[in-house]
Amino acid sequence: MKFTLIIKGNSWKKVYKQLKPWGEVILPGLSIIGLIVLVRSTGLLQSQEWLVFDQLLRIRPNEAIDPRVVIVGIDEEDINYVGSYPIPDQDIAKMLSILDIYKPRVIGLDLFKDKDSNSDRTDFALALRENPNIIGVEVALNQKRTFNVKPPPELPPERVGFADVIVDPDGKLRRGLMASKTYTGKLKYSLPLRLAQFYLGKQGIVFHHGSRSDDPIGFGSSRLVRFLPNSGGYVGTDANGFQILLNFRSDPEPFRILSLRDVLTKKIDPNWISDRIVIVGMTASSIKDRFITSAVKRTFYTKDLGFENSANQYQWIYGVEIHAHATSQIISNVLDRRPLLKVWSKFWEYLWILAWGLLGIILGLILKSPLKTLLSLGLASIGLVGICYILLVVGWWIPLVPTLLALGSAGLTTSFFDRDLRTLLEQRSLTLKRCFETIHNGPLQTLAVILRSLGEEDIKTEKLRSLLEQVNQELRSIPDYLSQEMLSRHDSFYLEGNEIFDLQTPISELLYHIYDSTLRRNFQGFETIQSFIPPNFEPLEDCYLNADQKRGLYLFLQEALCNVGKHSQGATRLDVICTRSAREYCLQIIDNGSGIISSNYQSGGRGTDQAQDLARKLRGKFRRFPHSPQGTVCELTWPVVRTWRQRFL
């Protein structure tokens, strides 16, 4: 049992060691996600989320005009037509009488008519009493009574709706107040809700609401979605009363609008009015009954200014338009199942943000290239915007701004940290590789000569001492070389004897120096060679190689020559041939001895691995094959690749 626990403990240690580097990369990305969640929870992203919410509502596909809602807008020309403002009660009474001829289902009178002392009020008061389908307005929710406006005294409470609205801290309108208690504790309903109640009641659809303002409001089987303090992008917002998010109709002309002159002169089609909801209100620019919104394509105000499709983020919208949108929203949901705007719970919203942030982290880990990471994050962001847009079209407001921030920030942060980690690991790997190459091509070569000499003949003490001192000196010089190489960003090359060369040295010059230096080493195979033909490396002068490829080529020549010195037996000739054809470069090291190609050496060693790795980097080929009549050929070939400058010169 104890042995099993030890194994499990060791396994966990191994897992921890393997995951620790990844944890160092992932942790910053998770911290960024946590910071974004914290910032959102404090409300610092509210304005940005509202702005994006408005824009997504604005670019939705156009909807058909709602024929059930008609607006009678009293504009500047109407004021000039009747000759005074406020519009005289007798003109309003005449308008109501004409509308009654066309049998509208309900009329919403968004005009404040609380004074009953006017001499011309008789006809107006009679119209209010005799037409039970007229709904009046009041302002009732201000704590200071002098700020409130009473409804027409001729209307009973059930035929009155308040016109109070709620604007957000940025001054824009996004919510509609459907019901609320006054400061005296009396429950009141809004004008849009009263109009919808009257209109749907004629079709037998029952209105549901309890005695409290926060009870669910519904019609038949439909229920309005109540706005809460933290709905969507809102944080800690005042949600008193029964509020809903306004789902404005998405069309430049969502409703038919008539003027007071059209009604008084009867220049209207009866079908426009019959069985409809008619809302009468002010659309004159001189009257301050307007608010700001950026969630609609166009308002009557921008239309009057001649803007066909205003891109202004601060559009004026008349109060009568707001009532029309809110009324249409309710009856369209009940009769047409047009979606109301809904939101997820905070748990699912933050889980959504976390999921996209984790996606950014994964992309930052998988894609090594910063450019690929940036491109993939861009594509993912486009997909995220598309998903949020589609969900909003079907009625769901999903957080977009914090999710985009989590996706992009976590992805880029992870990519940068991962790049740093990969750079560190590559640096360590490259340092180990350089260290081994230096040891392999220097001290190990000398040590191999010593071991070979010990196995074949008695070596003199003085010679052995000399060789061992050479090994000692080469080993001691390696740390200094590696330090200099690190400082020179690996642009140097080490040779035995404490020689360090700049890789920017011309290829032919450095190759010849490697050739000459290697042949002067105390290798047994070089003692019998009688013919040395100086090589010509000039064919490689126009060969473009980076620093790593140059290093590999120098190591290849050094290793091939060392193999001749260590393993070739009885060699009398050594040729190093460098050629260039139209298609490829070729470097050959040829000897006429024996011993290199054998059953033991054929499998290759570290030098063979280096040569094959170089061939892959150069997209060439490495071969070692017998030379006729005796000897070995070590050959490296690679294609001629011209730079863009060479191609056009």
Side-chain angles (χ1 to χ4, degrees):
M1 185 68 172
K2 184 177 180 180
F3 179 71
T4 304
L5 292 175
I6 292 175
I7 293 178
K8 289 183 178 180
N10 291 334
S11 299
W12 279 112
K13 288 181 179 179
K14 291 180 180 178
V15 172
Y16 174 76
K17 289 181 178 179
Q18 292 177 352
L19 293 180
K20 185 177 179 180
W22 292 106
E24 295 175 356
V25 174
I26 295 174
L27 186 59
L30 292 175
S31 301
I32 290 294
I33 297 173
L35 179 62
I36 291 172
V37 169
L38 178 63
V39 169
R40 183 180 191 257
S41 65
T42 60
L44 294 179
L45 296 179
Q46 269 193 138
S47 298
Q48 291 77 8
E49 290 199 74
W50 294 341
L51 209 62
V52 172
F53 173 63
D54 291 344
Q55 187 61 27
L56 291 180
L57 286 176
R58 185 189 190 88
I59 64 175
R60 288 176 300 169
N62 289 344
E63 298 180 78
I65 188 173
D66 189 350
R68 294 168 300 208
V69 179
V70 179
I71 296 177
V72 176
I74 303 175
D75 56 21
E76 297 290 350
E77 293 186 17
D78 288 331
I79 296 175
N80 294 331
Y81 179 79
V82 299
S84 64
Y85 181 83
I87 305 298
D89 289 349
Q90 60 182 3
D91 291 311
I92 299 298
K94 182 179 179 181
M95 176 195 66
L96 293 175
S97 299
I98 295 173
L99 289 176
D100 187 57
I101 297 174
Y102 302 120
K103 303 299 180 184
R105 188 177 298 188
V106 61
I107 298 174
L109 195 61
D110 185 26
L111 299 172
F112 296 111
K113 294 291 183 180
D114 57 327
K115 307 298 182 182
D116 58 356
S117 59
N118 295 337
S119 58
D120 59 351
R121 189 178 176 84
T122 304
D123 293 339
F124 176 69
L126 183 62
L128 294 181
R129 293 191 185 96
E130 292 184 350
N131 296 334
N133 60 342
I134 296 177
I135 308 295
V137 292
E138 64 177 335
V139 176
L141 304 181
N142 292 301
Q143 184 175 8
K144 194 171 183 179
R145 292 185 178 182
T146 56
F147 289 171
N148 294 324
V149 180
K150 294 182 179 181
E154 295 83 3
L155 295 178
E158 62 272 14
R159 288 173 53 194
V160 175
F162 61 76
D164 302 67
V165 297
I166 300 176
V167 295
D168 288 327
D170 63 352
K172 295 181 182 179
L173 186 75
R174 297 181 182 91
R175 294 172 283 156
L177 183 60
M178 297 291 103
S180 178
K181 285 186 177 181
T182 65
Y183 282 91
T184 60
K186 188 174 183 180
L187 180 62
K188 298 277 187 176
Y189 293 113
S190 68
L191 175 63
L193 192 66
R194 286 294 193 191
L195 294 173
Q197 179 184 4
F198 199 97
Y199 183 87
L200 296 173
K202 292 291 186 178
Q203 296 183 211
I205 300 175
V206 181
F207 171 73
H208 302 285
H209 192 212
S211 58
R212 297 181 302 151
S213 61
D214 58 349
D215 285 336
I217 293 178
F219 296 88
S221 60
S222 299
R223 293 291 183 272
L224 298 184
V225 180
R226 185 168 185 257
F227 174 85
L228 299 175
N230 295 311
S231 291
Y234 289 87
V235 178
T237 304
D238 183 4
N240 288 328
F242 195 102
Q243 304 176 33
I244 64 172
L245 288 169
L246 290 176
N247 189 9
F248 294 96
R249 293 193 72 86
S250 179
D251 192 274
E253 295 185 6
F255 311 106
R256 178 172 284 109
I257 183 168
L258 307 173
S259 66
L260 177 62
R261 303 183 312 280
D262 293 333
V263 178
L264 295 180
T265 58
K266 299 183 180 180
K267 294 180 179 179
I268 54 177
D269 186 340
N271 294 324
W272 296 347
I273 305 299
S274 178
D275 208 33
R276 314 295 185 190
I277 299 175
V278 179
I279 307 177
V280 182
M282 298 303 302
T283 58
S285 58
S286 60
I287 308 304
K288 305 304 180 183
D289 184 20
R290 58 179 185 265
F291 304 89
I292 298 175
T293 182
S294 59
V296 294
K297 289 183 171 65
R298 189 174 66 177
T299 66
F300 296 143
Y301 187 86
T302 56
K303 180 181 178 182
D304 291 340
L305 293 177
F307 298 151
E308 289 299 323
N309 194 3
S310 176
N312 188 1
Q313 289 294 319
Y314 293 89
Q315 296 190 89
W316 290 108
I317 183 171
Y318 294 117
V320 67
E321 290 182 80
I322 298 171
H323 299 319
H325 278 284
T327 305
S328 175
Q329 177 176 340
I330 297 172
I331 64 174
S332 295
N333 173 254
V334 176
L335 300 178
D336 307 331
R337 298 303 175 188
R338 182 177 182 267
L340 299 169
L341 291 178
K342 303 176 287 295
V343 297
W344 286 347
S345 67
K346 285 303 167 186
F347 172 80
W348 290 109
E349 286 186 345
Y350 287 123
L351 186 62
W352 169 263
I353 296 171
L354 175 63
W356 282 92
L358 291 176
L359 175 61
I361 291 176
I362 293 172
L363 292 176
L365 289 174
I366 293 177
L367 302 173
K368 299 179 180 180
S369 168
L371 182 60
K372 291 181 179 179
T373 301
L374 190 61
L375 179 60
S376 64
L377 289 175
L379 294 175
S381 298
I382 293 173
L384 172 60
V385 173
I387 292 172
C388 290
Y389 171 74
I390 293 173
L391 289 174
L392 187 62
V393 170
V394 298
W396 288 98
W397 181 14
I398 308 302
L400 176 57
V401 172
T403 313
L404 276 176
L405 290 176
L407 171 65
S409 302
L412 292 176
T413 301
T414 302
S415 177
F416 291 142
F417 273 86
D418 183 52
R419 183 187 62 180
D420 292 342
L421 178 61
R422 292 181 191 273
T423 302
L424 178 61
L425 295 177
E426 290 174 0
Q427 184 69 37
R428 292 177 179 177
S429 176
L430 187 60
T431 302
L432 291 174
K433 180 181 178 182
R434 295 287 182 263
C435 183
F436 186 81
E437 287 175 351
T438 305
I439 295 173
H440 175 268
N441 287 36
L444 286 183
Q445 299 287 7
T446 305
L447 188 60
V449 172
I450 296 174
L451 294 174
R452 190 178 184 86
S453 299
L454 289 174
E456 295 180 354
E457 59 181 22
D458 294 334
I459 185 171
K460 294 182 179 181
T461 304
E462 294 181 1
K463 184 177 181 180
L464 179 61
R465 181 186 295 276
S466 175
L467 291 173
L468 289 176
E469 287 179 352
Q470 182 181 344
V471 172
N472 179 59
Q473 184 180 4
E474 290 173 349
L475 286 173
R476 289 179 181 277
S477 65
I478 290 175
D480 293 336
Y481 157 71
L482 291 176
S483 298
Q484 293 185 32
E485 187 184 51
M486 294 293 291
L487 292 175
S488 62
R489 300 179 62 87
H490 306 295
D491 290 337
S492 59
F493 181 74
Y494 168 86
L495 285 177
E496 68 286 342
N498 296 329
E499 290 186 278
I500 299 176
F501 288 89
D502 188 353
L503 289 178
Q504 301 302 320
T505 304
I507 294 178
S508 60
E509 180 182 335
L510 190 50
L511 282 175
Y512 187 83
H513 191 91
I514 292 170
Y515 168 82
D516 182 65
S517 176
T518 306
L519 291 184
R520 284 189 275 106
R521 298 181 71 170
N522 191 13
F523 288 165
Q524 182 180 2
F526 295 152
E527 296 176 356
T528 59
I529 295 178
Q530 302 173 359
S531 175
F532 291 94
I533 301 177
N536 179 20
F537 295 108
E538 290 184 0
L540 297 180
E541 283 295 335
D542 65 343
C543 178
Y544 175 78
L545 300 175
N546 59 36
D548 188 54
Q549 292 169 336
K550 287 181 181 180
R551 183 192 300 275
L553 186 62
Y554 302 153
L555 290 173
F556 168 77
L557 176 60
Q558 187 182 57
E559 173 72 12
L561 292 173
C562 287
N563 285 338
V564 175
K566 292 186 300 180
H567 302 289
S568 179
Q569 299 177 7
T572 60
R573 183 182 179 90
L574 174 63
D575 295 326
V576 177
I577 302 173
C578 181
T579 60
R580 178 192 186 281
S581 66
R583 293 188 176 182
E584 66 179 14
Y585 298 98
C586 180
L587 179 61
Q588 294 179 320
I589 296 88
I590 307 172
D591 71 274
N592 63 348
S594 62
I596 292 184
I597 297 183
S598 64
S599 58
N600 294 332
Y601 191 78
Q602 189 69 15
S603 60
R606 176 62 183 175
T608 302
D609 293 339
Q610 289 178 353
Q612 291 174 344
D613 182 56
L614 175 61
R616 283 191 295 269
K617 291 178 179 178
L618 296 175
R619 298 182 180 180
K621 179 186 290 187
F622 165 71
R623 294 194 303 159
R624 184 186 293 113
F625 55 91
H627 179 60
S628 179
Q630 180 178 300
T632 304
V633 178
C634 187
E635 179 185 83
L636 176 69
T637 59
W638 68 96
V640 174
V641 179
R642 294 185 178 182
T643 64
W644 67 271
R645 290 186 62 187
Q646 292 172 331
R647 292 175 182 173
F648 291 98
L649 290 178

